[in-house]
Amino acid sequence: EDKVVQSPLSLVVHEGDTVTLNCSYEVTNFRSLLWYKQEKKAPTFLFMLTSSGIEKKSGRLSSILDKKELFSILNITATQTGDSAVYLCAADNYGQNFVFGPGTRLSVLP
Amino acid sequence: DGGITQSPKYLFRKEGQNVTLSCEQNLNHDAMYWYRQDPGQGLRLIYYSQIVNDFQKGDIAEGYSVSREKKESFPLTVTSAQKNPTAFYLCASSATGRAVEQFFGPGTRLTVL
């Protein structure tokens, strides 16, 4: 059965902290790994990773994929209250569908 | 402006009534998807369609139906057979044939009274 697991499910930090969110996957025909941020509405796209070991970076956010160990991490440095959201990880099952994890709820306190 | 629209934003219905949620995209995407999201949970796939006039059941298709008569449109009907339909419904679309991200609509929050 195709599945995506995320950890932790919930995380509370203070502004300025660095956080690492984890995503492991098991899908039949893996093509890419995607990260989304969801703030009480539609998810917004953050990263798509297709190759192992190549870090993708956008401002304070970065992500990397390990296709051998079947996992990805999302790092957020110098967190701000605006980073509070649910972070979703999804595996592209080679054009069949996208399998989503349960999400990590991040709360950043001032 | 390219994007995905869903309507209505909020929908209230009485138990036992069928309701249809609209999803339209002008991104020229072949693939479209419907997800259900319950409070504090991730997205669960209801139905998806890779091409016009064809669609497949996702993980929780029971009590739902879809049609894909046009490339731009993928309406979802929540039937009276769906035991617990109150949820947030998200429609998405993507290109096919290569690794791409999904684009999401703003969602419809359905409450069954």
Side-chain angles (χ1 to χ4, degrees), chain A residues 1-4 25-29 93 96-97 99, chain B residues 59:
Chain A
E1 184 189 338
D2 296 330
K3 65 178 179 183
V4 172
Y25 62 90
E26 232 179 277
V27 297
T28 314
N29 291 301
N93 200 8
Q96 292 295 310
N97 55 14
V99 183
Chain B
D59 301 318

Side-chain angles (χ1 to χ4, degrees), chain A:
Chain A
E1 184 189 338
D2 296 330
K3 65 178 179 183
V4 172
V5 176
Q6 291 185 247
S7 65
L9 294 179
S10 181
L11 188 56
V12 181
V13 301
H14 286 93
E15 268 192 319
D17 289 348
T18 292
V19 297
T20 297
L21 310 183
N22 303 295
C23 173
S24 64
Y25 62 90
E26 232 179 277
V27 297
T28 314
N29 291 301
F30 176 81
R31 178 160 66 178
S32 66
L33 193 289
L34 301 101
W35 285 97
Y36 290 86
K37 178 182 181 182
Q38 187 178 26
E39 300 171 89
K40 292 186 179 178
K41 46 184 169 48
T44 53
F45 173 73
L46 295 175
F47 296 112
M48 181 172 67
L49 303 144
T50 56
S51 302
S52 273
I54 299 174
E55 185 183 55
K56 291 226 172 170
K57 199 167 169 66
S58 175
R60 295 175 295 102
L61 278 65
S62 64
S63 184
I64 198 160
L65 174 69
D66 185 330
K67 288 169 77 173
K68 184 179 175 187
E69 300 297 330
L70 308 183
F71 79 88
S72 173
I73 60 172
L74 175 69
N75 278 320
I76 308 175
T77 59
T79 51
Q80 302 170 357
T81 54
D83 295 326
S84 295
V86 174
Y87 290 84
L88 296 165
C89 166
D92 176 356
N93 200 8
Y94 226 97
Q96 292 295 310
N97 55 14
F98 291 77
V99 183
F100 279 81
T104 293
R105 181 173 297 277
L106 174 64
S107 300
V108 182
L109 304 177

Side-chain angles (χ1 to χ4, degrees), chain A residues 31 34 36 38 41-43 45 48 50 95-98 100-102 105, chain B residues 33 35 37 41-43 45 48 50 90 97-102 104-105:
Chain A
R31 178 160 66 178
L34 301 101
Y36 290 86
Q38 187 178 26
K41 46 184 169 48
F45 173 73
M48 181 172 67
T50 56
Q96 292 295 310
N97 55 14
F98 291 77
F100 279 81
R105 181 173 297 277
Chain B
Y33 311 79
Y35 295 93
Q37 187 174 36
Q41 298 195 26
L43 307 184
L45 182 65
Y48 63 103
Q50 297 286 322
L90 282 161
R98 63 190 190 282
V100 291
E101 74 266 30
Q102 284 186 315
F104 285 87

